[in-house]
mmCIF file of all heavy atoms in Angstrom:
data_model
loop_
_atom_site.group_PDB
_atom_site.id
_atom_site.type_symbol
_atom_site.label_atom_id
_atom_site.label_comp_id
_atom_site.label_asym_id
_atom_site.label_seq_id
_atom_site.Cartn_x
_atom_site.Cartn_y
_atom_site.Cartn_z
ATOM 1 N N ARG B 7 33.290 19.909 115.643
ATOM 2 C CA ARG B 7 32.106 20.147 114.920
ATOM 3 C C ARG B 7 31.325 21.285 115.705
ATOM 4 O O ARG B 7 31.058 21.181 116.894
ATOM 5 C CB ARG B 7 31.177 18.764 114.994
ATOM 6 C CG ARG B 7 29.958 18.797 114.258
ATOM 7 C CD ARG B 7 29.492 17.345 114.048
ATOM 8 N NE ARG B 7 28.808 16.793 115.365
ATOM 9 C CZ ARG B 7 29.374 16.012 116.183
ATOM 10 N NH1 ARG B 7 30.450 15.341 115.890
ATOM 11 N NH2 ARG B 7 28.652 15.659 117.273
ATOM 12 N N LEU B 8 31.083 22.384 115.033
ATOM 13 C CA LEU B 8 30.461 23.508 115.656
ATOM 14 C C LEU B 8 28.992 23.203 116.009
ATOM 15 O O LEU B 8 28.275 22.772 115.120
ATOM 16 C CB LEU B 8 30.427 24.619 114.726
ATOM 17 C CG LEU B 8 29.828 25.934 115.302
ATOM 18 C CD1 LEU B 8 30.716 26.617 116.446
ATOM 19 C CD2 LEU B 8 29.539 27.049 114.257
ATOM 20 N N VAL B 9 28.658 23.217 117.334
ATOM 21 C CA VAL B 9 27.283 22.879 117.716
ATOM 22 C C VAL B 9 26.573 24.016 118.162
ATOM 23 O O VAL B 9 25.252 23.961 118.202
ATOM 24 C CB VAL B 9 27.265 21.635 118.832
ATOM 25 C CG1 VAL B 9 27.816 20.456 118.309
ATOM 26 C CG2 VAL B 9 28.053 22.180 120.031
ATOM 27 N N ALA B 10 27.049 25.113 118.569
ATOM 28 C CA ALA B 10 26.373 26.248 119.043
ATOM 29 C C ALA B 10 27.290 27.534 119.003
ATOM 30 O O ALA B 10 28.551 27.424 119.155
ATOM 31 C CB ALA B 10 25.735 26.064 120.338
ATOM 32 N N THR B 11 26.621 28.610 118.745
ATOM 33 C CA THR B 11 27.397 29.947 119.021
ATOM 34 C C THR B 11 26.585 30.751 119.941
ATOM 35 O O THR B 11 25.267 30.909 119.562
ATOM 36 C CB THR B 11 27.664 30.655 117.669
ATOM 37 O OG1 THR B 11 28.385 29.860 116.812
ATOM 38 C CG2 THR B 11 28.414 31.923 117.780
ATOM 39 N N VAL B 12 27.013 31.245 120.960
ATOM 40 C CA VAL B 12 26.232 31.936 121.990
ATOM 41 C C VAL B 12 26.829 33.430 121.965
ATOM 42 O O VAL B 12 27.975 33.701 122.222
ATOM 43 C CB VAL B 12 26.317 31.319 123.261
ATOM 44 C CG1 VAL B 12 25.485 32.112 124.305
ATOM 45 C CG2 VAL B 12 25.915 29.851 123.269
ATOM 46 N N LYS B 13 25.898 34.389 121.682
ATOM 47 C CA LYS B 13 26.312 35.792 121.960
ATOM 48 C C LYS B 13 26.447 36.120 123.445
ATOM 49 O O LYS B 13 25.556 35.642 124.136
ATOM 50 C CB LYS B 13 25.224 36.717 121.334
ATOM 51 C CG LYS B 13 25.291 36.923 119.848
ATOM 52 C CD LYS B 13 25.369 38.529 119.555
ATOM 53 C CE LYS B 13 25.785 38.836 118.118
ATOM 54 N NZ LYS B 13 26.790 38.077 117.685
ATOM 55 N N LEU B 14 27.438 36.789 123.740
ATOM 56 C CA LEU B 14 27.583 37.145 125.237
ATOM 57 C C LEU B 14 27.374 38.620 125.414
ATOM 58 O O LEU B 14 28.372 39.378 125.132
ATOM 59 C CB LEU B 14 28.957 36.683 125.647
ATOM 60 C CG LEU B 14 29.164 35.135 125.575
ATOM 61 C CD1 LEU B 14 30.653 34.836 125.820
ATOM 62 C CD2 LEU B 14 28.319 34.365 126.518
ATOM 63 N N SER B 15 26.243 39.015 125.877
ATOM 64 C CA SER B 15 26.143 40.427 126.356
ATOM 65 C C SER B 15 25.498 40.645 127.650
ATOM 66 O O SER B 15 25.818 41.652 128.338
ATOM 67 C CB SER B 15 25.457 41.373 125.285
ATOM 68 O OG SER B 15 24.287 40.690 124.902
ATOM 69 N N THR B 16 24.838 39.677 128.136
ATOM 70 C CA THR B 16 24.230 39.811 129.572
ATOM 71 C C THR B 16 24.552 38.559 130.352
ATOM 72 O O THR B 16 25.070 37.546 129.859
ATOM 73 C CB THR B 16 22.712 40.092 129.510
ATOM 74 O OG1 THR B 16 22.173 38.737 129.058
ATOM 75 C CG2 THR B 16 22.323 41.153 128.584
ATOM 76 N N ASP B 17 24.250 38.648 131.662
ATOM 77 C CA ASP B 17 24.435 37.317 132.506
ATOM 78 C C ASP B 17 23.409 36.331 132.039
ATOM 79 O O ASP B 17 23.771 35.099 132.265
ATOM 80 C CB ASP B 17 24.331 37.700 133.953
ATOM 81 C CG ASP B 17 22.928 38.322 134.471
ATOM 82 O OD1 ASP B 17 22.134 38.575 133.591
ATOM 83 O OD2 ASP B 17 22.737 38.371 135.580
ATOM 84 N N ARG B 18 22.344 36.550 131.474
ATOM 85 C CA ARG B 18 21.495 35.597 130.871
ATOM 86 C C ARG B 18 22.253 34.747 129.900
ATOM 87 O O ARG B 18 22.001 33.516 129.688
ATOM 88 C CB ARG B 18 20.218 36.207 130.388
ATOM 89 C CG ARG B 18 19.293 35.369 129.493
ATOM 90 C CD ARG B 18 18.663 34.233 130.245
ATOM 91 N NE ARG B 18 17.968 34.617 131.572
ATOM 92 C CZ ARG B 18 17.762 33.712 132.477
ATOM 93 N NH1 ARG B 18 18.025 32.464 132.395
ATOM 94 N NH2 ARG B 18 17.124 34.106 133.537
ATOM 95 N N ASP B 19 23.028 35.429 129.053
ATOM 96 C CA ASP B 19 23.838 34.785 127.958
ATOM 97 C C ASP B 19 24.881 33.820 128.638
ATOM 98 O O ASP B 19 25.197 32.787 128.042
ATOM 99 C CB ASP B 19 24.518 35.851 127.041
ATOM 100 C CG ASP B 19 23.538 36.732 126.439
ATOM 101 O OD1 ASP B 19 22.410 36.187 126.127
ATOM 102 O OD2 ASP B 19 23.829 37.903 126.172
ATOM 103 N N VAL B 20 25.402 34.271 129.804
ATOM 104 C CA VAL B 20 26.454 33.449 130.412
ATOM 105 C C VAL B 20 25.686 32.161 130.853
ATOM 106 O O VAL B 20 26.261 31.066 130.669
ATOM 107 C CB VAL B 20 26.941 34.112 131.620
ATOM 108 C CG1 VAL B 20 28.001 33.226 132.503
ATOM 109 C CG2 VAL B 20 27.748 35.412 131.254
ATOM 110 N N ALA B 21 24.442 32.192 131.268
ATOM 111 C CA ALA B 21 23.797 30.916 131.709
ATOM 112 C C ALA B 21 23.491 30.166 130.477
ATOM 113 O O ALA B 21 23.640 28.855 130.494
ATOM 114 C CB ALA B 21 22.323 31.320 132.388
ATOM 115 N N ARG B 22 23.166 30.854 129.298
ATOM 116 C CA ARG B 22 22.971 30.096 128.060
ATOM 117 C C ARG B 22 24.215 29.332 127.538
ATOM 118 O O ARG B 22 24.086 28.288 127.072
ATOM 119 C CB ARG B 22 22.557 31.072 126.987
ATOM 120 C CG ARG B 22 21.163 31.437 126.999
ATOM 121 C CD ARG B 22 20.752 32.080 125.672
ATOM 122 N NE ARG B 22 19.405 32.721 125.926
ATOM 123 C CZ ARG B 22 19.221 34.025 126.100
ATOM 124 N NH1 ARG B 22 20.212 34.846 125.977
ATOM 125 N NH2 ARG B 22 17.986 34.416 126.447
ATOM 126 N N ALA B 23 25.375 29.991 127.703
ATOM 127 C CA ALA B 23 26.630 29.388 127.274
ATOM 128 C C ALA B 23 26.927 28.129 128.260
ATOM 129 O O ALA B 23 27.258 27.058 127.706
ATOM 130 C CB ALA B 23 27.804 30.319 127.451
ATOM 131 N N ARG B 24 26.615 28.227 129.465
ATOM 132 C CA ARG B 24 26.814 27.053 130.332
ATOM 133 C C ARG B 24 25.913 25.911 129.962
ATOM 134 O O ARG B 24 26.253 24.866 129.859
ATOM 135 C CB ARG B 24 26.379 27.482 131.786
ATOM 136 C CG ARG B 24 27.348 28.209 132.633
ATOM 137 C CD ARG B 24 27.059 28.239 134.075
ATOM 138 N NE ARG B 24 25.802 28.837 134.513
ATOM 139 C CZ ARG B 24 25.713 30.093 134.920
ATOM 140 N NH1 ARG B 24 26.808 30.787 135.097
ATOM 141 N NH2 ARG B 24 24.605 30.554 135.310
ATOM 142 N N GLN B 25 24.562 26.298 129.685
ATOM 143 C CA GLN B 25 23.495 25.155 129.285
ATOM 144 C C GLN B 25 23.922 24.605 128.002
ATOM 145 O O GLN B 25 23.814 23.299 127.811
ATOM 146 C CB GLN B 25 22.189 25.952 129.152
ATOM 147 C CG GLN B 25 21.579 26.168 130.538
ATOM 148 C CD GLN B 25 20.456 27.158 130.532
ATOM 149 O OE1 GLN B 25 20.168 27.682 129.505
ATOM 150 N NE2 GLN B 25 19.897 27.429 131.727
ATOM 151 N N ALA B 26 24.478 25.378 126.919
ATOM 152 C CA ALA B 26 24.843 24.870 125.661
ATOM 153 C C ALA B 26 25.986 23.818 125.904
ATOM 154 O O ALA B 26 26.012 22.668 125.242
ATOM 155 C CB ALA B 26 25.161 25.917 124.706
ATOM 156 N N VAL B 27 26.922 24.209 126.633
ATOM 157 C CA VAL B 27 28.181 23.293 126.933
ATOM 158 C C VAL B 27 27.764 22.010 127.663
ATOM 159 O O VAL B 27 28.188 20.928 127.432
ATOM 160 C CB VAL B 27 29.230 24.052 127.559
ATOM 161 C CG1 VAL B 27 30.455 23.043 128.015
ATOM 162 C CG2 VAL B 27 29.776 25.219 126.680
ATOM 163 N N SER B 28 26.848 22.238 128.663
ATOM 164 C CA SER B 28 26.392 21.212 129.473
ATOM 165 C C SER B 28 25.686 20.156 128.525
ATOM 166 O O SER B 28 25.817 18.959 128.708
ATOM 167 C CB SER B 28 25.443 21.749 130.414
ATOM 168 O OG SER B 28 25.019 20.864 131.375
ATOM 169 N N ARG B 29 24.815 20.638 127.566
ATOM 170 C CA ARG B 29 24.127 19.744 126.733
ATOM 171 C C ARG B 29 25.118 18.971 125.821
ATOM 172 O O ARG B 29 24.953 17.705 125.542
ATOM 173 C CB ARG B 29 23.225 20.562 125.763
ATOM 174 C CG ARG B 29 21.787 20.710 126.331
ATOM 175 C CD ARG B 29 20.890 21.173 125.193
ATOM 176 N NE ARG B 29 21.227 22.351 124.467
ATOM 177 C CZ ARG B 29 20.988 23.527 124.959
ATOM 178 N NH1 ARG B 29 20.381 23.714 126.113
ATOM 179 N NH2 ARG B 29 21.354 24.577 124.384
ATOM 180 N N ALA B 30 26.158 19.701 125.408
ATOM 181 C CA ALA B 30 27.218 18.923 124.550
ATOM 182 C C ALA B 30 27.809 17.763 125.324
ATOM 183 O O ALA B 30 27.932 16.645 124.789
ATOM 184 C CB ALA B 30 28.190 19.905 124.115
ATOM 185 N N PHE B 31 28.071 18.085 126.634
ATOM 186 C CA PHE B 31 28.596 16.904 127.511
ATOM 187 C C PHE B 31 27.641 15.826 127.709
ATOM 188 O O PHE B 31 28.028 14.713 127.671
ATOM 189 C CB PHE B 31 29.115 17.460 128.772
ATOM 190 C CG PHE B 31 30.551 17.973 128.677
ATOM 191 C CD1 PHE B 31 30.867 19.269 128.401
ATOM 192 C CD2 PHE B 31 31.627 17.131 129.110
ATOM 193 C CE1 PHE B 31 32.157 19.750 128.361
ATOM 194 C CE2 PHE B 31 32.933 17.636 129.018
ATOM 195 C CZ PHE B 31 33.235 18.942 128.637
#
Side-chain angles (χ1 to χ4, degrees):
Chain B
R7 187 165 79 247
L8 180 70
V9 292
T11 300
V12 181
K13 276 233 169 313
L14 298 171
S15 46
T16 68
D17 61 349
R18 170 61 55 200
D19 300 326
V20 176
R22 279 197 193 102
R24 283 198 294 262
Q25 283 159 358
V27 173
S28 186
R29 270 197 302 277
F31 272 88

